[in-house]
Each structure stands twice: as C-alpha cells, then as structure tokens.
Amino acid sequence: MPKQKILIVDDDPDLKKGLNLRLRANHYDTVYASDGFSAVMMAQKERPNLIILDIGLPAGDGFVVLERLQKNAALATIPVIVLTARDPQTNKERTLKAGATAFLQKPADNAELLEAISAALDQPPGTMAQS
Amino acid sequence: MDNGLMNVLLIEDNAGDADLVRLRLLEGGSHVYVSCVDRLSAALASVAQQPPAVVLLDLTLPDSNGPEAFRRLHDQAPGVPVVILTAVDDEEMAVKTVQQGAQDYLLKGQVDGKQLIRAIRCAMDRQALLTSLETSRQQQLQFKDEFLSHVSHEMRSPLASIHQFVSILFDGLAGPVPAEQRDHLETILKSINQLQAMIHDLLEATRAVSGKVRIEPCGIGVTEVIQGAITLLRSATQEKQIGLELVVGPSLPLVYADADRVLQVLINLIGNAIKFTPHRGSIMAKAWLEDVDPGFVYISVSDTGRGISPEAKPSIFERMYQEPAALDNIRSGLGLGLYIAKELVELHGGRIWFTSQLGEGSIFTFTLPRFSLAGLLTPVITHQGRLREALVLIKVEVSPPPGTSAFRRKAASLCCREVLQHCIYVDRDLVLPGLGNSEPDEIFFIVASTTLQRAEVMLTRIREQLERCPELKASGAFNVSASSLELPTAHDEVRLEKLVLQVAEHVTDTVVLALRRPQNFKGISKPKPADGRTGKRRTHAKAKNSDRRR
C-alpha cells in the first residue's frame, strides 16, 4: 500500500521540521506550505490524503484556506485537521463549521495528533463532502 | 460639580441641628449645596441615585445607630468621603469609625463654618487619594494577570518545539542514541514536562481569576475518575515506593460533574500528597456518602506526609502560596495546584477543606453534588408551581458503522449533543446529560414539555440539523423518535417535588431500559442504609458502573 501523503501548512519552520520527522517516522509522506495561498496550490498539485492546517497564516489565514478547499469539489473531500494556538472556545466550532474534520490546540501531544490523523484517514472516501 | 457647587449630603434627624449645620456651611463658603435626609434608608437611596461630594453623618439616627450606620453607608458607596458629625463625644467610637474608613469625627458644638469646610475639603482630598490608590492597585493586579497569561501563552510554542525535538532525539528518529545520552535526554524531557505543567497551571489560574473556566457536567462515577488519576500517577508513586490505595463505599451514586475537571482536581491533590510524603509512605483515596449531607459525594485524599504547619493553614488555598518550610527542600511548582483545585470544586457547587497534623499527614476532602435527574428536571417540567400539562421523551440514536475509531465516535457524539442543545427551548426542554466517564454517548434523550403532536416540529428540526453535521454524516445512520411520557396524576395533597420525582423515576426507567445498563444508574435513588456502607472495595475491584453498554 502506498504511503499516505500529508500536507503540513504552518509558517513556523521549526514546527514544520519537527512534525515532518514525526510523521515520516510514522510512515507518512509529507509536503508543506507556509502560507494560505500556497497551501491551496499545494493541495491542488499534490492531492494529499490529509491536511494539517494552522489558522494564523500569511496570505490568507486558515479560514480562507478552508473556504477555498470547500469550494473546489476535488479538494473538499480531503480531511483537514486544524492545529492552532488559538483559543478553542472561540475557534473550534467556527473551524468545524468551515469544513475542518478536527480541531487540536497547539502544543498538541504527539500521540493525540497521530490518533487524530489516523482517525481522519480511516474515513471512507467521499463522506467528508459538504452538502 | 456641574453647577460648580459642592454637593453635601447631610444625614441628620434633628431639624434644629440640620439647620445649624446648613447655616455653618453657608457662612463658611458659598459654593455649597446641602441636601438633608433624616433617615439612613433615605440616605442610602439618595447616595445610590446620585453620589454626593461628601456625606456629613450623624451617628444617632432613628433607623440606625453608631458605627453600624457608618458601615452600611460606607459599604454602599466606598468612594464617597464620610465625615461623622455628632454630639457624642466618644473617643473610642471616633477611633473605631476612622479605622473603618470614616474621614473625620467632628463634634457638632465645636466646629465653626470655616473649620467644617476645611474638614470637608481635606476629607475629599484624602478620599480621592485613596480611590486613586485603589484604582491603580486594581490596574496593577489586572496588568499582572494579563502579563502572566500572555507570558505563559508565549512560552508554550518554543517549549513545545523543544519538547518535539528532544523527543525526536530520544525516540531515535534522528539516528541511534547511546544509552548514556538517552538517559540525559530523558532527564531533559522530564524537566520540560514539569515546565509545561507549570505553564498549564498558570494559564488555568489566570483563566480562573477572570472567570473563564467552564465546566460541562454530566452524570459520572467518581470511582472511575479516581482510578484514572491513580493510573496516571502510578509511576511517580512507584519511584518513591509509596503505597496508593483506593477505598470506595459500595453503591456510590453518580455525581453531576465534569470528568476532566474532577480528574484535574484529583491529580493536583494526589500529586501534592506524593510530593510531601516520604519514601515508603502511603496515600489513600476514598469516596463515600455522608448521612448528614446526602446531596453530595465525599472524596478524600490522605497521606502520611509532613503535614501542614499551623501558620500555613489559613493560606493554603491562596494563589501562589508555598509553605515557607517547603521552599528550601521540596520546592517545585508554582503554588497554584490547590488554588485551581478549589476553584474547580466550587464551580461544581462543592466544597474543599483539609485537616492536617504536623509530622503525621494531611487529609484533603472535597464534595461533588450527586447527579439528580429530578433536580435537573424541576425547572424544566414545572411551571408556576405545577407540573407541565404534557411531556414527551425524545430519543436520538446515532449508530456509527462497526470499526469506527474512538476519536471519530467522540467527535460525532459531541456534535450531536451540540445540535440537540440548539434544537430545544432551554426553559422547557432538557437534553439529558451524558452518563459515564469515557465512552462517547450514542443514545441521547430529551425531555420536552410539549405534546406528541407538536413534538413532530422539533423532531423534524433535529433531523435537518443532524443531517447537516459533517461528523454525524460520516459516522452513519441516526434515528430520532418520540414517545409521550405518562404523567402522574396530581392530587392536592401530593407535593410537586414528589410528582417531579415520579417523572424522573419514570424517565430513568425508560432510559436505563434503552441503554441496557441496569444497575447503579439511579441518579434519583435514595441513600442506601448505613449498614451497607461498611464494606470496602479495593483499587483493582471494578466499579459497578464501569460495566457499560457494549
């Protein structure tokens, strides 16, 4: 079975690097983008199986990215895990409504993140589409 | 003053004295407006409506007397300067009232107009100074809280990054690591974990101060939560060879609490016990019912540690408190654990306290309210002292396909509960809280004050909303149905509480039947007779209500 590909979208290079190592060690392929605009471009080009998305981003924040993904039928089915330092009390519901699959607060525990990833990936294809 | 006049409120019941004072004030300076009342009650009303620049207070009033009159006035308007103007030449009273915050104590016969005006001006200046001091103190406190919150928030990201990369090294993801280096890395990781825990506590504490901590209570078994805390702290006790035992009374009822928050309280209490208990000491966690206080479940953590010194006792729950004697040798943490524990327990409506003998150990005890379905139903199914005319029980069942991960089931469960909360009228319908600690709910119940016919509207709304929820859609089918609840017949002599209790019993029976979870879920059951409580259960014994639906 080919490796699942994960797109990491975060403007913090350290976090990206660390996450990359972690995910590769757990047999995922990774690609990245560090701003909202290239996030959508990368999603188009790479067609990842999952996206890990920060909210505070240059050139289109996480909400803009979610909206663009939802508008594109081919990308709307990709599960998105939002990983942000922002307060879940004010942001969680909003991101889920915008089409995210899960909301995790930074700093997220490795085990927690890996569980969220495998949970999001075992979803049968097509079920994530918004009506 | 808008009109340039100094607004003086004179509280004086003797009309002659009042006129005299008014006269003195006018002769002392023309820019004075005097309003006079003869009762404290009238003064309180006047001050509430428009605070004067200064109050002149007589201490012998028909509706209040002596320092009491001053205290009530001062409590209501702490920022308004008060000068006592009395005929009672009582030095002791003078000292007492000034200590309590009066600006001056003058005798009616002994001051002329100029002196009175001067006294008033000084009083106003001093009061202004006090007020600005208090304002800046408040600002500094607020600044400190914001600063702490900001700093701890900002420290989290770099710390997370350190944690990530050290654990990458430790796990050998960046190449093989020799045993000795691994050992050092483990030490670093431990310190990082401590630092992260401290920052977490700081954020919690600042949230608690600003009232931002929320709890989401449901019916939970405390035994499971205590066991969870014990499991999490097992390695710490093993390191110090401390025995950790759990003693639970039989048939403990469910409590109405937030499992995560209760776990936090227990980790703080047991963590402290471990910290202050020497090698080979012992710690015991207990949960039981108290006959004199049947509405609560009691939980205690006792240790054979150093105990708490008498001087430390009054301050132990204060923020940032550390016992001075503990500072030298076992200082760790920020002194926030007990403060947070207290805040969390009180948010649940419980109490927390301790007893301690220096050198022998401490016992921390807290209470959590018992889960009472009748208590939750009362405001919803009664109206103007009577039971509502019709009640419906709505059942919503989510059935995720077999093999769905726990994470996804939980997400679906949370989403469903949220949807249902949005579909009801909070003053007349109730989404029954979840029961149990860990398993996500898959069957939900709503008690709605409506007829079966009218409930159809709600059912349609629920179906529509559930269909829109992405998590539920992914997790498979759901089923929404309603049945009417049989109402107990109200005789005049049957009390409302009893009727509510009957409805609650009926709902419970239906729910238990649906969940196939027969025993121990009787949020409404009476306390068991005392003889049944002497038996003890050990840690490894499984809690009854952990026997959950499959």
Side-chain angles (χ1 to χ4, degrees):
Chain A
M1 188 177 140
K3 282 185 183 178
Q4 308 251 47
K5 195 191 288 173
I6 297 177
L7 168 61
I8 304 170
V9 187
D10 203 299
D11 57 340
D12 175 354
D14 289 346
L15 184 131
K16 235 161 53 183
K17 201 165 120 198
L19 211 52
N20 176 36
L21 273 163
R22 232 348 118 185
L23 294 179
R24 283 180 183 255
N26 283 279
H27 313 293
Y28 294 113
D29 248 343
T30 50
V31 285
Y32 357 81
S34 44
D35 63 76
F37 179 73
S38 42
V40 182
M41 299 285 289
M42 284 299 273
Q44 282 272 26
K45 187 173 142 230
E46 298 282 344
R47 296 297 161 98
N49 302 86
L50 181 135
I51 300 173
I52 295 175
L53 179 65
D54 191 15
I55 295 291
L57 290 170
D61 69 8
F63 291 110
V64 174
V65 175
L66 282 170
E67 194 192 318
R68 296 253 175 85
L69 293 174
Q70 288 300 323
K71 274 191 187 150
N72 185 325
L75 305 181
T77 53
I78 304 173
V80 180
I81 295 175
V82 168
L83 178 64
T84 176
R86 295 198 185 179
D87 186 3
Q89 269 180 32
T90 44
N91 287 284
K92 183 172 176 179
E93 209 184 318
R94 198 174 150 208
T95 53
L96 294 182
K97 270 197 187 128
T101 316
F103 181 99
L104 291 180
Q105 201 187 10
K106 278 185 197 168
D109 187 49
N110 282 323
E112 193 187 3
L113 179 64
L114 288 171
E115 197 197 334
I117 290 172
S118 61
L121 283 175
D122 74 11
Q123 236 154 220
T127 50
M128 285 314 298
Q130 292 270 302
S131 47
Chain B
M1 239 33 21
D2 294 339
N3 48 10
L5 286 179
M6 184 163 72
N7 204 349
V8 178
L9 176 64
L10 176 62
I11 309 173
E12 172 65 75
D13 61 320
N14 181 318
D17 282 355
D19 280 343
L20 209 59
V21 173
R22 201 192 294 266
L23 207 63
R24 294 261 162 82
L25 285 173
L26 290 176
E27 71 184 35
S30 53
H31 300 295
V32 185
Y33 174 78
V34 186
S35 47
C36 186
V37 294
D38 60 355
R39 295 282 190 282
L40 185 70
S41 52
L44 292 175
S46 160
V47 166
Q49 204 175 31
Q50 201 196 352
V54 67
V55 171
L56 299 178
L57 173 66
D58 182 21
L59 284 186
T60 47
L61 295 168
D63 59 343
S64 189
N65 215 336
E68 167 67 17
F70 167 72
R71 214 168 27 239
R72 284 175 59 193
L73 187 67
H74 191 57
D75 282 352
Q76 174 158 342
V80 175
V82 178
V83 173
I84 312 273
L85 193 57
T86 176
V88 187
D89 188 1
D90 179 343
E91 195 53 32
E92 200 180 316
M93 175 117 75
V95 170
K96 198 170 170 190
T97 44
V98 169
Q99 266 173 358
Q100 284 174 352
Q103 287 300 340
D104 218 335
Y105 190 96
L106 303 175
L107 290 175
K108 276 181 198 165
Q110 292 179 3
V111 282
D112 62 23
K114 268 199 180 134
Q115 284 169 328
L116 191 54
I117 290 289
R118 194 184 305 141
I120 286 174
R121 290 207 189 287
C122 288
M124 285 166 61
D125 286 350
R126 278 195 299 269
Q127 187 66 55
L129 201 63
L130 279 178
T131 308
S132 81
L133 274 176
E134 178 57 24
T135 313
S136 86
R137 197 182 73 91
Q138 289 296 343
Q139 277 170 349
Q140 280 181 14
L141 277 179
Q142 197 191 344
F143 173 77
K144 186 204 69 187
D145 281 337
E146 278 167 13
F147 178 76
L148 279 179
S149 160
H150 186 73
V151 166
S152 36
H153 200 267
E154 288 300 308
M155 278 185 344
R156 283 201 313 184
S157 298
L159 203 54
S161 173
I162 297 173
H163 186 270
Q164 179 71 284
F165 285 94
V166 173
S167 63
I168 280 170
L169 292 178
F170 181 79
D171 293 346
L173 301 186
V177 187
E180 196 188 339
Q181 290 184 21
R182 239 180 92 89
D183 206 36
H184 297 333
L185 288 173
E186 195 169 6
T187 312
I188 300 176
L189 271 178
K190 220 179 191 176
S191 301
I192 297 170
N193 284 336
Q194 268 177 15
L195 210 48
Q196 283 185 324
M198 273 188 242
I199 287 177
H200 177 261
D201 276 2
L202 254 180
L203 278 171
E204 268 307 283
T206 44
R207 264 191 218 127
V209 168
S210 51
K212 275 190 202 147
V213 176
R214 280 197 312 196
I215 56 166
E216 278 163 30
C218 57
I220 60 165
V222 279
T223 315
E224 284 176 41
V225 188
I226 302 175
Q227 274 167 340
I230 288 177
T231 309
L232 283 171
L233 294 166
R234 182 65 75 196
S235 66
T237 53
Q238 278 165 355
E239 214 166 276
K240 286 179 84 175
Q241 293 175 294
I242 291 173
L244 180 46
E245 191 186 16
L246 169 61
V247 179
V248 185
S251 56
L252 213 53
L254 298 180
V255 294
Y256 189 56
D258 185 324
D260 290 340
R261 297 310 198 170
V262 176
L263 182 70
Q264 211 178 334
V265 172
L266 282 162
I267 286 176
N268 282 347
L269 295 184
I270 300 175
N272 263 356
I274 295 172
K275 197 163 35 167
F276 292 107
T277 299
H279 276 260
R280 296 192 230 293
S282 65
I283 297 171
M284 188 166 68
K286 251 171 84 175
W288 73 100
L289 277 176
E290 198 73 64
D291 288 334
V292 291
D293 191 13
F296 289 85
V297 171
Y298 282 61
I299 301 138
S300 75
V301 175
S302 53
D303 63 57
T304 56
R306 62 213 309 275
I308 297 158
S309 68
E311 309 87 71
K313 282 184 177 172
S315 330
I316 201 107
F317 286 112
E318 273 171 26
R319 199 149 57 118
M320 304 276 187
Y321 184 79
Q322 295 259 355
E323 191 176 351
L327 289 183
D328 321 322
N329 34 27
I330 23 184
R331 177 180 186 137
S332 62
L334 293 170
L336 290 171
L338 287 179
Y339 168 75
I340 294 171
K342 181 168 188 273
E343 293 290 319
L344 290 178
V345 167
E346 286 174 357
L347 267 177
H348 283 91
R351 295 182 299 131
I352 184 166
W353 68 94
F354 67 93
T355 54
S356 180
Q357 198 71 45
L358 200 58
E360 287 179 20
S362 311
I363 305 172
F364 280 83
T365 309
F366 66 99
T367 62
L368 291 171
R370 282 174 64 167
F371 176 72
S372 151
L373 191 53
L376 294 175
L377 281 175
T378 302
V380 172
I381 64 168
T382 62
H383 185 58
Q384 295 175 342
R386 297 173 61 174
L387 216 53
R388 301 251 189 205
E389 273 157 27
L391 294 176
V392 170
L393 186 68
I394 297 172
K395 179 170 151 195
V396 179
E397 214 170 336
V398 187
S399 26
T404 308
S405 71
F407 176 83
R408 287 268 313 292
R409 280 167 55 203
K410 188 153 188 215
S413 170
L414 287 175
C415 182
C416 185
R417 185 164 287 283
E418 211 164 281
V419 164
L420 297 184
Q421 284 296 354
H422 282 135
C423 291
I424 60 156
Y425 298 106
V426 282
D427 58 331
R428 45 189 301 151
D429 309 323
L430 175 76
V431 182
L432 298 194
L435 295 167
N437 302 20
S438 44
E439 286 279 294
D441 295 304
E442 268 145 20
I443 305 181
F444 302 83
F445 292 93
I446 300 173
V447 174
S449 302
T450 181
T451 59
L452 201 50
Q453 199 181 2
R454 301 234 298 275
E456 276 306 320
V457 182
M458 193 188 279
L459 296 192
T460 312
R461 191 163 54 211
I462 291 172
R463 283 192 198 102
E464 280 171 8
Q465 295 280 326
L466 287 180
E467 263 162 33
R468 265 187 234 154
C469 179
E471 266 124 44
L472 286 174
K473 203 177 192 184
S475 76
F478 51 83
N479 187 22
V480 186
S481 61
S483 59
S484 56
L485 273 172
E486 209 177 300
L487 289 176
T489 34
H491 306 294
D492 286 343
E493 64 271 26
V494 182
R495 298 197 10 229
L496 185 64
E497 286 160 44
K498 191 92 183 286
L499 293 175
V500 173
L501 218 58
Q502 280 176 24
V503 175
E505 296 244 17
H506 185 53
V507 170
T508 305
D509 289 346
T510 319
V511 167
V512 167
L513 204 67
L515 295 180
R516 269 171 269 113
R517 205 186 311 173
Q519 75 281 62
N520 210 23
F521 157 61
K522 286 260 176 171
I524 50 171
S525 65
K526 302 265 178 325
K528 293 284 179 306
D531 58 73
R533 211 169 305 148
T534 46
K536 289 179 176 174
R537 208 187 306 149
R538 303 287 157 179
T539 315
H540 45 264
K542 233 177 141 54
K544 272 267 169 65
N545 57 355
S546 68
D547 177 34
R548 301 180 47 86
R549 101 199 93 110
R550 293 283 102 85

